[in-house]
């Protein structure tokens, strides 16, 4: 297995655009037209293609592109008994003011029939393939690079799958469900470590909705997390508690959390806007090694938000925007890195895109060709940065 460069390792956030033939296989599996085994044969080929793109671009720590997943968190329904997948359109029927909520979804450019959401409908029990153990095993067998596995975070899973009237028949409270998810994720991280995974990333993008949702008293959309939001401080404290429980006592594997402002649309005005200032006091309390944050989009604000809080944590630095056609030049990326080097140790900075390139299976935000060019630009920038800062 290869080691990573000491400075500025290049990595990804997770997802890669799925090819059309894989989407067709995903649909057939959902409809029961093909078996899991038949789907796996097709998905294996898609993973190998995603790996090839990343290796050719020069990525140091790569993922399987989340090719087997419907989206970055809903796939939990395929792996954990007690979770069922429903489209956002189906969930809308559970919202008290249906017409207002449908109007909101339209204004936010949410493809309600394309995005599916997990809902807890029974007691949870992890299936024989684990949450991502099958993905990691295949990836480990087919690359000599270090590998990264993204998992949905415990707060995201709790927010998105807790539906009053359904879930509370099996868990007394949202807190009970949250700690159940944290335990399940902790067991999964340990299993992934034992399979040779280098980095597990917990995805918690919904944390930006907590502080930047349009109206705290109304439902909004972020990863289909529709229900049960309390005030921001309580929500963030709850999230930190769950994240720390999920990584409690784990060693021998790098852990991180990823936070963005939405990645379901290329319409920038449809996505959340706001810097990391209100989040950083809470993120500083998490017991993970790395914060994987977006900074290529201006909507994420300035890196100065990190100065007083990043501490000893590493930064997965978002330096390219996955939703644009323009490919950032290596010099643009170097300029971004130089800005944060004013207060961060170069040894703690990883380079990654702001988010994935195909977060939702049927709604990729870019093409493989453009995604490849963006990753290649990151690699060229990293090589120059290593030359500038002492590593050949």
């Amino acid at each position: 297995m290869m080691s990573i460069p000491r400075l500025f390792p290049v990595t990804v956030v997770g997802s890669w655009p799925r090819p059309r033939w894989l989407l067709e296989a995903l649909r057939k599996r959902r409809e029961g037209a093909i078996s899991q085994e038949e789907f796996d044969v097709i998905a294996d080929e898609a993973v190998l293609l995603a790996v090839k793109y990343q290796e050719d671009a020069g990525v140091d720590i790569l993922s399987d592109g989340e090719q087997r997943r419907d989206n970055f968190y809903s796939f939990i329904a395929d792996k954990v008994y007690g979770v069922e997948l429903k489209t956002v359109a189906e969930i809308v029927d559970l919202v008290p003011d249906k017409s207002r909520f449908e109007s909101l979804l339209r204004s936010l450019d949410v493809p309600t029939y394309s995005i599916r959401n997990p809902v807890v409908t029974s007691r949870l029990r992890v299936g024989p393939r684990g949450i991502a153990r099958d993905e990691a095993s295949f990836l480990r067998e087919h690359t000599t690079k270090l590998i990264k596995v993204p998992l949905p975070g415990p707060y995201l899973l709790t927010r998105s799958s807790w539906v009053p009237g359904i879930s509370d028949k099996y868990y007394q409270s949202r807190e009970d469900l949250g700690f159940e998810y944290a335990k399940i994720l902790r067991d999964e991280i340990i299993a992934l470590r034992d399979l040779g995974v280098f980095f597990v990333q917990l995805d918690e993008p919904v944390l930006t909705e907590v502080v930047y949702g349009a109206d705290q008293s109304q439902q909004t959309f972020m990863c289909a997390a529709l229900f049960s939001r309390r005030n921001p401080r309580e929500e963030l404290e709850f999230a930190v508690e769950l994240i720390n429980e999920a990584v409690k006592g784990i060693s021998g594997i790098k852990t991180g959390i990823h936070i963005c402002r939405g990645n379901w649309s290329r319409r920038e005005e449809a996505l959340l806007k706001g810097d990391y200032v209100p989040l950083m006091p809470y993120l500083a309390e998490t017991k993970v090694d790395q914060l994987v944050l977006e900074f290529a989009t201006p909507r994420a604000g300035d890196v100065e938000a990190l100065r007083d809080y990043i501490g000893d944590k590493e930064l997965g630095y978002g330096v390219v925007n996955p939703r644009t056609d323009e490919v950032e030049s290596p010099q643009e990326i170097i300029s971004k890195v130089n800005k944060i080097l004013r207060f961060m140790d170069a040894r703690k900075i990883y380079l990654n895109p702001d988010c994935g390139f195909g977060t939702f299976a049927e709604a990729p935000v870019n093409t493989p060709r453009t995604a490849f060019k963006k990753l290649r630009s990151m690699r060229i920038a990293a090589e120059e940065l290593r030359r500038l800062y002492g590593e050949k």
Side-chain angles (χ1 to χ4, degrees), residues 298-344:
R299 290 180 295 100
D302 195 88
V303 294
E304 284 294 321
L306 310 185
R307 182 187 285 271
D308 296 330
Y309 294 100
I310 193 70
D312 292 331
K313 283 186 171 53
E314 297 171 345
L315 173 65
Y317 193 15
V319 292
V320 300
N321 188 334
R323 294 174 297 277
T324 59
D325 293 328
E326 298 76 24
V327 177
E328 294 83 351
S329 70
Q331 194 53 51
E332 286 178 276
I333 296 169
I334 291 169
S335 296
K336 289 180 184 293
V337 174
N338 283 334
K339 190 173 183 181
I340 203 162
L341 284 174
R342 292 184 305 210
F343 61 89
M344 271 203 75

Side-chain angles (χ1 to χ4, degrees), residues 3 14 75 79 98 112 126 144 159 165 171 234 283 290 300 363:
S3 60
F75 79 99
K79 302 297 187 66
K98 182 178 175 181
T112 56
V126 177
T144 58
R159 274 289 303 276
Y171 290 89
E234 289 180 347
L283 300 185
Q290 187 175 123

Side-chain angles (χ1 to χ4, degrees), residues 109 264-269 271 322-326 364-366:
D109 198 28
W264 66 84
S265 171
R266 298 186 93 190
R267 283 176 43 201
E268 288 287 311
E269 73 277 11
L271 305 175
R323 294 174 297 277
T324 59
D325 293 328
E326 298 76 24
V365 292
N366 225 316

Side-chain angles (χ1 to χ4, degrees), residues 104-140:
L104 175 67
L105 293 174
R106 283 194 296 273
S107 71
L108 294 177
D109 198 28
V110 176
T112 56
Y113 286 96
S114 297
I115 296 177
R116 296 168 185 82
N117 195 64
V119 176
V120 169
T121 58
S122 183
R123 294 290 298 185
L124 304 183
R125 180 166 59 86
V126 177
R129 299 156 68 95
I131 298 176
R133 279 167 254 172
D134 54 342
E135 298 174 356
S137 295
F138 182 81
L139 183 58
R140 182 67 289 150

Side-chain angles (χ1 to χ4, degrees), residues 14-314:
S15 63
W16 190 260
R18 283 86 166 169
R20 189 172 304 141
W21 40 269
L22 178 62
L23 295 180
E24 178 65 15
L26 273 167
R27 184 185 63 77
K28 287 182 176 179
R29 186 192 59 176
R30 281 198 300 270
E31 295 172 348
I34 61 174
S35 66
Q36 181 66 48
E37 290 71 24
E38 289 171 313
F39 172 76
D40 286 340
V41 171
I42 298 168
D44 287 350
E45 295 300 313
V47 171
L48 294 177
L49 190 58
V51 167
K52 176 66 172 168
Y53 271 118
Q54 293 172 80
E55 289 184 339
D56 286 355
V59 173
D60 299 305
I61 308 162
L62 51 79
S63 77
D64 77 342
E66 303 180 17
Q67 297 293 286
R68 304 173 198 277
R69 304 180 181 184
D70 175 74
N71 71 48
F72 72 105
Y73 67 105
S74 69
F75 79 99
I76 195 97
D78 295 329
K79 302 297 187 66
V80 178
Y81 300 126
V83 182
E84 292 183 17
L85 212 56
K86 296 181 183 297
T87 66
V88 174
E90 291 172 320
I91 292 173
V92 167
D93 289 334
L94 303 171
V95 175
D97 189 347
K98 182 178 175 181
S99 60
R100 189 200 66 80
F101 195 70
E102 286 177 326
S103 175
L104 175 67
L105 293 174
R106 283 194 296 273
S107 71
L108 294 177
D109 198 28
V110 176
T112 56
Y113 286 96
S114 297
I115 296 177
R116 296 168 185 82
N117 195 64
V119 176
V120 169
T121 58
S122 183
R123 294 290 298 185
L124 304 183
R125 180 166 59 86
V126 177
R129 299 156 68 95
I131 298 176
R133 279 167 254 172
D134 54 342
E135 298 174 356
S137 295
F138 182 81
L139 183 58
R140 182 67 289 150
E141 290 175 6
H142 290 86
T143 183
T144 58
K145 298 273 189 173
L146 295 175
I147 63 175
K148 176 178 187 175
V149 173
L151 295 174
Y155 177 74
L156 167 66
L157 287 174
T158 306
R159 274 289 303 276
S160 60
S161 66
W162 171 262
V163 178
I166 300 176
S167 310
D168 50 6
K169 294 177 182 175
Y170 307 96
Y171 290 89
Q172 288 188 343
S173 68
R174 200 174 65 135
E175 285 71 18
D176 288 341
L177 178 62
F179 285 104
E180 178 85 324
Y181 271 130
K183 179 182 181 303
I184 286 172
L185 288 168
R186 185 175 180 281
D187 292 343
E188 187 71 12
I189 294 170
I190 292 171
L192 292 172
R193 176 197 64 189
D194 295 343
L195 286 171
V197 172
F198 175 71
F199 189 180
V200 164
Q201 169 188 291
L202 297 173
D203 291 328
E204 293 284 10
V206 74
L207 293 183
T208 54
E209 186 269 351
V210 172
V211 293
Y212 291 118
D215 184 336
Q216 298 299 313
S217 67
Q218 297 181 10
Q219 284 126 342
T220 183
F221 177 84
M222 181 70 174
C223 310
L226 309 176
F227 298 100
S228 305
R229 184 174 60 181
R230 299 169 296 199
N231 73 59
R233 180 181 59 77
E234 289 180 347
E235 289 296 309
L236 293 172
E237 289 175 349
F238 181 45
V240 170
E241 191 175 8
L242 293 183
I243 291 166
N244 286 344
E245 190 67 21
V247 300
K248 186 177 177 181
I250 295 178
S251 61
I253 185 170
K254 190 181 295 295
T255 59
I257 50 176
H258 168 59
I259 300 166
C260 67
R261 285 149 188 77
N263 199 35
W264 66 84
S265 171
R266 298 186 93 190
R267 283 176 43 201
E268 288 287 311
E269 73 277 11
L271 305 175
L272 290 173
K273 178 181 180 182
D275 61 29
Y276 285 100
V277 170
L279 286 170
M280 284 310 298
Y282 298 94
L283 300 185
E285 295 299 317
T286 60
K287 307 300 183 187
V288 298
D289 301 303
Q290 187 175 123
L291 303 180
V292 183
L293 307 179
E294 60 177 352
F295 279 109
T297 174
R299 290 180 295 100
D302 195 88
V303 294
E304 284 294 321
L306 310 185
R307 182 187 285 271
D308 296 330
Y309 294 100
I310 193 70
D312 292 331
K313 283 186 171 53
E314 297 171 345

